[in-house]
């Protein structure tokens, strides 16, 4: 199949992996990269970051109590909760729903139509809380999102196994919290940090 000289492809992201230039070279087409070096803007000045330390077993009670107060003041706001695996996302969404929160789950093993339906209801405000994995960390624009909760902080895969040291995945964190505070709006990022004894 021949190349169409009129065909253009553009990639946009707040972050790219270090290997991205090699990926571009493999395309074997003329490419241009525009890189903005002002990393001060990546902090999102209209986004406020908070953290709360607790044990793993106390996380749910904290979030449930927090929501009861949050929605009094931000009744029109929507929330994304990020967790690190699909099975736990299902469990957490079920627990929140049982506590009376308008909650739904969005994961990669759902059908395309189901995902579209959930996102449409979320954007319309019919669903207030969306629990997901990193599936939602990029490419989602919804100005109603006023709060992002990292129920699980994003970590790099640990080559030393579960007992080895873990390192925060800064790029994924940036993309997750970037779902709020968009287009000049104010937003909140709440990070639930497990106590040292639970790590």
């Amino acid at each position: 199949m021949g190349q169409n000289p009129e065909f253009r492809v553009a990639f946009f992201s707040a972050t790219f992996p270090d290997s991205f230039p090699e990926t571009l070279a493999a395309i074997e087409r003329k490419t241009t990269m525009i890189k903005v070096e002002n990393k001060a803007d990546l902090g999102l000045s209209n986004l406020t970051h908070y953290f709360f330390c607790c044990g793993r077993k106390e996380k749910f009670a904290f979030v449930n109590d927090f929501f009861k107060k949050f929605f009094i003041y931000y009744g029109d706001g929507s929330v994304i909760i990020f967790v690190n695996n699909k099975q736990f996302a299902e469990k957490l969404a079920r627990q929140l729903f049982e506590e009376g929160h308008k909650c739904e789950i969005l994961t990669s093993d759902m059908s395309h139509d189901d995902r579209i339906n959930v996102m449409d209801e979320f954007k319309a405000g019919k669903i207030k809380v969306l629990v997901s994995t990193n599936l939602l960390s990029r490419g989602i624009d919804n100005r109603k999102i006023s709060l992002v909760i990292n129920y699980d902080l994003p970590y790099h895969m640990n080559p030393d196994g579960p007992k080895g040291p873990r390192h925060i995945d800064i790029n994924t964190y940036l993309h997750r919290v970037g779902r709020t505070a968009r287009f000049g709006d104010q937003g909140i990022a709440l990070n639930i940090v497990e106590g040292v004894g639970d790590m």
Side-chain angles (χ1 to χ4, degrees):
M1 188 167 87
Q3 293 184 358
N4 181 348
E6 299 303 317
F7 184 74
R8 301 285 186 267
V9 177
F11 299 93
F12 299 94
S13 181
T15 62
F16 282 109
D18 293 338
S19 61
F20 189 70
E22 297 171 18
T23 304
L24 282 181
I27 296 174
E28 297 182 352
R29 290 182 65 109
K30 181 181 176 183
T31 60
T32 302
M33 179 181 279
I34 300 172
K35 198 172 180 182
V36 179
E37 292 290 347
N38 187 0
K39 294 188 177 181
D41 290 339
L42 295 180
L44 301 174
S45 59
N46 50 336
L47 173 61
T48 306
H49 304 259
Y50 295 97
F51 71 92
F52 178 78
C53 294
C54 67
R56 182 78 184 173
K57 293 179 180 178
E58 287 76 45
K59 282 185 175 186
F60 179 77
F62 167 74
V63 170
N64 187 38
D65 290 342
F66 181 84
F67 278 166
K68 291 175 183 176
K69 298 177 181 119
F70 176 81
F71 286 116
I72 291 173
Y73 297 101
Y74 298 93
D76 293 333
S78 297
V79 181
I80 296 179
I81 301 179
F82 285 103
V83 297
N84 288 342
N85 72 68
K86 293 182 286 188
Q87 291 75 23
F88 184 71
E90 293 170 1
K91 177 182 176 182
L92 179 59
R94 186 169 55 252
Q95 287 178 302
L96 288 168
F97 184 80
E98 289 170 356
E99 289 291 330
H101 303 291
K102 295 179 181 178
C103 181
E104 189 54 80
I105 185 175
L106 195 73
T107 59
S108 59
D109 55 1
M110 295 169 62
S111 72
H112 178 72
D113 288 343
D114 285 344
R115 278 187 271 172
I116 293 296
N117 290 337
V118 168
M119 282 306 302
D120 286 346
E121 290 194 348
F122 184 59
K123 288 178 179 178
K126 295 177 182 176
I127 297 170
K128 289 293 186 182
V129 180
L130 201 52
V131 180
S132 187
T133 57
N134 287 332
L135 176 69
L136 277 183
S137 64
R138 297 173 188 245
I140 301 298
D141 287 322
N142 181 0
R143 290 191 71 168
K144 290 180 180 289
I145 301 170
S146 50
L147 171 66
V148 168
I149 296 178
N150 282 306
Y151 198 95
D152 296 324
L153 289 171
Y155 290 99
H156 288 290
M157 294 298 290
N158 190 350
D160 300 323
K163 297 295 184 184
R166 295 189 294 177
H167 303 283
I168 297 290
D169 184 341
I170 300 299
N171 286 343
T172 298
Y173 177 84
L174 175 66
H175 283 285
R176 282 183 178 187
V177 300
R179 298 311 94 208
T180 187
R182 301 178 72 80
F183 310 108
D185 293 337
Q186 297 296 311
I188 298 170
L190 176 60
N191 303 291
I192 305 178
V193 181
E194 293 182 28
V196 175
D198 300 317
M199 297 294 275

